[in-house]
Amino acid sequence: EVQLVESGGGLVQAGGSLRLSCEPSGFTFNDYAIAWFRQAPGKEREGVSCISMRAGTTPHYADSVKGRFTISSDNARNTVYLQMNDLKPEDTAVYYCAAEWDLFCTWNIAAFSSWGQGTQVTVSS
């Protein structure tokens, strides 16, 4: 069974930083697209950042996080990270890692078949 496990969420003051991790269980990230989505209370789930493990592709970021968030991968650890800097209260949400094989980056939630359980990020003002 393919599973994703997120970690690294927590409570931080505005302007602070957090690093989220996404680790797969049962597969390696080769040729996958890995994306971070988030869902705030009362709002729809939205794409935050995405990376394709195919060579020659560039990461994608939502406009709201460009310049503050960085997605990266550690192939040796088979882990994808989301470094979040200069956090704002509006970044407060449950963050989900999603993965799909043989996919280029997209914000289409339905395109991803594997999801983690989510990790809470709370940014206080």
Side-chain angles (χ1 to χ4, degrees):
E1 181 180 353
V2 172
Q3 291 183 331
L4 298 170
V5 179
E6 303 104 332
S7 61
L11 173 63
V12 65
Q13 289 187 332
S17 299
L18 286 172
R19 189 178 76 163
L20 306 183
S21 299
C22 176
E23 298 183 65
S25 174
F27 68 100
T28 59
F29 278 150
N30 294 341
D31 295 323
Y32 273 77
I34 313 298
W36 288 96
F37 290 82
R38 67 185 181 186
Q39 188 165 19
K43 294 188 177 181
E44 294 185 351
R45 192 169 298 190
E46 63 176 0
V48 175
S49 185
C50 180
I51 186 170
S52 170
M53 304 308 286
R54 295 184 175 188
T57 60
T58 57
H60 292 60
Y61 297 96
D63 289 342
S64 59
V65 306
K66 281 181 181 177
R68 301 188 297 121
F69 290 11
T70 302
I71 192 170
S72 63
S73 64
D74 185 333
N75 291 343
R77 297 177 185 265
N78 198 35
T79 302
V80 170
Y81 302 99
L82 184 68
Q83 178 67 43
M84 305 185 296
N85 298 330
D86 189 24
L87 283 161
K88 306 176 185 299
E90 51 264 41
D91 294 318
T92 296
V94 177
Y95 284 69
Y96 297 91
C97 176
E100 185 61 36
W101 181 77
D102 197 25
L103 179 71
F104 287 101
C105 279
T106 175
W107 298 139
N108 180 5
I109 293 172
F112 293 89
S113 59
S114 298
W115 290 81
Q117 81 287 352
T119 185
Q120 177 70 47
V121 171
T122 303
V123 184
S124 63
S125 57

